[in-house]
Amino acid sequence: MAHNAPRPGRAPSTSRHELERICLDLFTHQGFEETSIEDIAAAAGIGRRTFFRYFPSKNDVVWGDFDDALGEFEAWFLRCPDDIPLMTAIRRGVVAFNTYDPANEPSHRSRMSLILNTDALQAHSTLRYGEWRRIVTRFAARRMGCQPEDLLPRVIGHLTLGASLAAYEQWLAEDGSDFLTHLNTALSVLDESWVLGASGTHR
């Protein structure tokens, strides 16, 4: 990704998307912790206060439109037909959530590298991924006829998140590899027969 942030002092015409691009560029080239809000504002040609009109914090920039995507993720499971087996449905939902325009791959790779490898983002990441995991857990509980607080839905939520993160780690480690191939392979470990054997209430 080319370092092409605007020069300080340019007329402010920044959108949320453009500010996010500038931030990711700065974080990638000079480090997340080393980049201040003042650095971002100068690169974008905006005031410091204007930054906070777009994002609550520097941490939130890295996650982009994750909150909106979570709403779509849950909606996908609410629409999912009941005749699709539980683990197949989860795999399809997770793949749909992680499918992106190939033109965005460089920025997506930068974003995920920051999320997975920046110590300062780990606490924030735990909160964000907790929300993601609970969507899977709630879906599993509905299908299994139990509560999200029960053990097996919790396990499925954690396993699904772990498999997805492992796929991202492998993708980042292998330049030129296909992320969705890694994701499908990782999620295939979560076998439907295990769930059927673990709970007689599964449907």
Side-chain angles (χ1 to χ4, degrees), residues 110-130:
S110 295
R111 187 190 308 279
M112 292 309 302
S113 181
L114 286 165
I115 289 171
L116 294 177
N117 298 311
T118 304
D119 290 342
L121 286 170
Q122 293 312 301
H124 195 71
S125 298
T126 299
L127 293 173
R128 292 299 188 109
Y129 280 134

Side-chain angles (χ1 to χ4, degrees), residues 111-190:
R111 187 190 308 279
M112 292 309 302
S113 181
L114 286 165
I115 289 171
L116 294 177
N117 298 311
T118 304
D119 290 342
L121 286 170
Q122 293 312 301
H124 195 71
S125 298
T126 299
L127 293 173
R128 292 299 188 109
Y129 280 134
E131 297 168 11
W132 187 98
R133 190 186 68 246
R134 283 189 286 275
I135 290 173
V136 176
T137 300
R138 286 195 294 269
F139 174 71
R142 286 197 304 271
R143 281 294 195 89
M144 300 175 76
C146 57
Q147 298 300 313
E149 296 78 18
D150 292 341
L151 177 61
L152 288 181
R154 286 183 189 271
V155 170
I156 290 171
H158 280 279
L159 289 176
T160 303
L161 176 60
S164 300
L165 292 178
Y168 267 113
E169 289 175 354
Q170 194 67 27
W171 177 60
L172 291 173
E174 295 180 4
D175 287 339
S177 63
D178 180 68
F179 171 66
L180 292 183
T181 297
H182 289 315
L183 184 60
N184 273 296
T185 300
L187 293 173
S188 69
V189 173
L190 309 182

Side-chain angles (χ1 to χ4, degrees), residues 37 41 46-55:
I37 300 297
I46 60 175
R48 190 177 189 276
R49 274 197 257 181
T50 302
F51 171 87
F52 291 107
R53 294 176 190 164
Y54 290 102
F55 297 99

Side-chain angles (χ1 to χ4, degrees), residues 32-47:
F32 178 82
E33 296 184 72
E34 291 75 17
T35 302
S36 67
I37 300 297
E38 287 74 17
D39 293 334
I40 296 167
I46 60 175

